[in-house]
Amino acid sequence: MEKNKLELYNSKEEYLKDLEKRGKLPEGFKTSVVSLEFFPAERPVEKPLPMKLSLLMLDKPTSVFGAVFTRNKCPGAPVIIGKERLLSDKVRGVIINNKISNVCTETGVKDSNMLLEHLAKETGCLPQEFFPSSTGIIGWQLPVKDMVQNIPRLVSALAPGTGVNLAEGIMTTDTFPKLRSAEVGDGCIVAVAKGAGMIEPNMATMLSFIMTDISMERDIIRDILKRVVEKTYNSISVDGDQSTSDTVIIMSSCEKKKVSEKEFEDALYKVCLDLSVDIVRNSEGCGHVVKASVTGASDFETARNIGKAIVNSPLVSTAIFGNDPNVGRLLSSIGDYAGNNNIELNKDKISISLGGDIVFEKGAFRLDQEKELRLVHYLKSRVLDSDHKTFPEHNYTVNIDVNLGMSSGNGNATVFGSDLSYGYVRENADYRS
């Protein structure tokens, strides 16, 4: 995997300035975000709760669009409707709300459709030309009346510019907005994402909206999206909980010339990979981003699953949070997964490195006092502020490299995860408080 450019930020303003530079919308797109307040029907509160409504809209309908959704068997209403939208001839955009994810309520689908009907009326479009998307608390109903009242204001605020407002508008427990872009041919790809907890893709409590002005055939862009998602959004994990609402949507205005399929896929992969790691970096209570690269596996799935077994291990992730290079836990998590999934492993052929230092090879650990001290220093040098600043301080990762040494070992994968901190427990214990 290519080495990422070093990114260092000293303030929220510095980070947002960088987002503005990279976030200019592709030709043919506009966005808007409005704030509102509501009282939830399910719980008494002294003060109204905040919500943001966001709109991503094309100047003209497009037939070049695609989407990938969660595999959770109890999906939210927007996912149910979104899957139907994939059969539409053309679409115009997406309306997104944060705070409430609209999952499995009695009126969930009806509520989303009502929003789309009012949006269609306000924009002069058809309801089926829009995707709905929701993120937030599972189990509560949308405050539809409050949301409908704000749709005219949302539509009138549509404007070209950057996608930073959209990246900020879709945040829930995220502490900083996430936006990435890449130039392709005469055009570009710009994408935003949100996600901080319940991260176990297929995909993760995450939403991602991808905009491009590059011309492309519909079937091709959908195939590319699926391939890219598998190696990016579906290769991150924070807590092993797969959300009910995960959604990735791509749309093209087709305002720019076509490029080769490979050129487009390479650019989209880079954009989505960077966003995926941004999600992990902003995960609840994250103190280290962990990068587990697995080679020498029988296939991609085995490599990725071993990588996830490492980053999802509570023993591994808590040790990393404590800057403790307890590397025995790495081998244990690998053997645990293999033993419970009937995967043949020869420990004499496995090698494991942490931060470039070999800690296990030829069937035995390779440790000494000097190396232990070096590994502690390495982990400390990768620390993020786990109390969560409003910007990412850096893009360092804790690098774990594993070669399984299988005889048919052409499978490889890279998985990103986070450590497990006090902050994660606090955030999820007090999520609705």
Side-chain angles (χ1 to χ4, degrees):
M1 184 168 295
E2 65 183 82
K3 190 175 181 180
N4 278 351
K5 181 182 72 173
L6 181 61
E7 297 172 354
L8 299 172
Y9 300 103
N10 295 306
S11 68
K12 176 181 178 181
E13 291 72 26
E14 189 177 313
Y15 176 64
L16 291 178
K17 187 176 180 181
D18 198 23
L19 290 196
E20 290 287 347
K21 287 180 182 177
R22 69 170 85 134
K24 183 180 179 182
L25 294 174
E27 191 171 328
F29 286 89
K30 291 184 176 70
T31 61
S32 62
V33 179
V34 298
S35 299
L36 60 99
E37 293 183 330
F38 71 99
F39 286 94
E42 295 81 2
R43 184 174 186 173
V45 293
E46 293 182 5
K47 297 180 180 179
L49 302 181
M51 173 181 281
K52 287 190 176 180
L53 267 181
S54 303
L55 180 60
L56 164 60
M57 190 164 172
L58 290 126
D59 295 338
K60 298 180 293 186
T62 182
S63 61
V64 181
F65 67 95
V68 179
F69 300 99
T70 180
R71 292 175 187 150
N72 192 304
K73 290 297 184 180
C74 299
V79 171
I80 295 170
I81 295 170
K83 289 179 178 179
E84 296 173 356
R85 286 293 177 272
L86 290 176
L87 303 176
S88 299
D89 293 331
K90 294 183 178 182
V91 296
R92 281 294 293 275
V94 190
I95 184 171
I96 311 124
N97 72 273
N98 67 358
K99 199 61 180 180
I100 295 178
S101 61
N102 192 15
V103 175
C104 295
T105 67
E106 290 185 2
T107 59
V109 172
K110 179 183 176 182
D111 291 344
S112 284
N113 280 327
M114 184 179 297
L115 288 174
L116 297 183
E117 288 170 7
H118 283 272
L119 178 61
K121 187 176 181 180
E122 195 67 29
T123 57
C125 302
L126 297 173
Q128 57 266 33
E129 290 182 306
F130 291 96
F131 284 91
S133 190
S134 301
T135 182
I137 295 170
I138 295 173
W140 287 9
Q141 288 182 300
L142 293 178
V144 178
K145 290 183 179 179
D146 298 291
M147 296 168 76
V148 165
Q149 289 175 0
N150 283 275
I151 285 178
R153 191 160 61 97
L154 183 67
V155 173
S156 65
L158 278 168
T162 72
V164 177
N165 65 333
L166 183 64
E168 292 177 320
I170 62 177
M171 291 165 57
T172 50
T173 56
D174 311 64
T175 61
F176 57 81
K178 289 163 275 292
L179 183 153
R180 295 285 178 171
S181 64
E183 294 182 359
V184 194
D186 296 331
C188 64
I189 300 171
V190 177
V192 300
K194 65 80 51 183
M198 200 181 279
I199 306 292
E200 171 64 23
N202 309 304
M203 277 144 313
T205 258
M206 58 150 282
L207 305 177
S208 182
F209 306 105
I210 306 166
M211 301 158 275
T212 184
D213 45 18
I214 299 297
S215 296
M216 190 73 57
E217 286 82 9
R218 173 156 141 169
D219 290 344
I220 289 177
I221 207 169
R222 290 185 176 186
D223 287 342
I224 289 174
L225 181 66
K226 288 178 182 177
R227 291 195 296 267
V228 166
V229 163
E230 281 301 307
K231 294 182 178 181
T232 57
Y233 296 122
N234 280 355
S235 291
I236 60 175
S237 189
V238 170
D239 49 24
D241 279 339
Q242 180 189 163
S243 168
T244 56
S245 305
D246 310 330
T247 299
V248 177
I249 297 173
I250 188 169
M251 296 181 291
S252 175
S253 62
C254 296
E255 294 288 346
K256 301 294 184 180
K257 293 180 181 178
K258 186 179 179 181
V259 299
S260 72
E261 186 174 338
K262 184 181 185 307
E263 188 177 0
F264 186 85
E265 184 165 348
D266 287 348
L268 183 62
Y269 170 78
K270 182 65 167 64
V271 167
C272 293
L273 179 65
D274 287 346
L275 279 175
S276 297
V277 182
D278 285 340
I279 288 171
V280 174
R281 188 169 293 114
N282 195 202
S283 60
E284 292 154 353
C286 177
H288 300 79
V289 175
V290 184
K291 178 182 178 182
S293 300
V294 181
T295 58
S298 56
D299 50 48
F300 168 75
E301 286 293 333
T302 299
R304 185 172 63 179
N305 289 340
I306 291 286
K308 284 190 175 184
I310 293 170
V311 302
N312 282 337
S313 164
L315 291 177
V316 171
S317 52
T318 49
I320 291 174
F321 173 70
N323 298 310
D324 177 13
N326 192 343
V327 294
R329 295 179 177 182
L330 300 177
L331 182 67
S332 176
S333 63
I334 295 168
D336 183 359
Y337 180 83
N340 283 292
N341 291 276
N342 297 316
I343 296 171
E344 289 297 325
L345 280 183
N346 183 343
K347 68 179 178 63
D348 293 335
K349 293 185 177 181
I350 296 173
S351 67
I352 305 172
S353 295
L354 175 61
D357 260 327
I358 293 175
V359 296
F360 184 90
E361 67 174 351
K362 297 180 181 178
F365 286 100
R366 308 295 171 180
L367 300 170
D368 54 53
Q369 291 183 3
E370 185 178 328
K371 185 177 290 186
E372 284 274 355
L373 291 173
R374 192 162 61 241
L375 293 176
V376 169
H377 176 75
Y378 172 74
L379 292 174
K380 287 182 176 179
S381 72
R382 264 57 187 163
V383 169
L384 286 160
D385 178 4
S386 62
D387 286 334
H388 268 207
K389 292 182 178 178
T390 53
F391 64 95
E393 302 158 282
H394 58 72
N395 64 339
Y396 292 132
T397 57
V398 172
N399 298 327
I400 299 168
D401 296 289
V402 177
N403 189 325
L404 298 175
M406 292 183 175
S407 56
S408 57
N410 296 318
N412 62 83
T414 298
V415 174
F416 291 88
S418 93
D419 59 5
L420 183 57
S421 70
Y422 310 126
Y424 177 85
V425 177
R426 283 197 304 267
E427 182 71 48
N428 284 282
D430 299 337
Y431 183 60
R432 302 195 314 165
S433 301

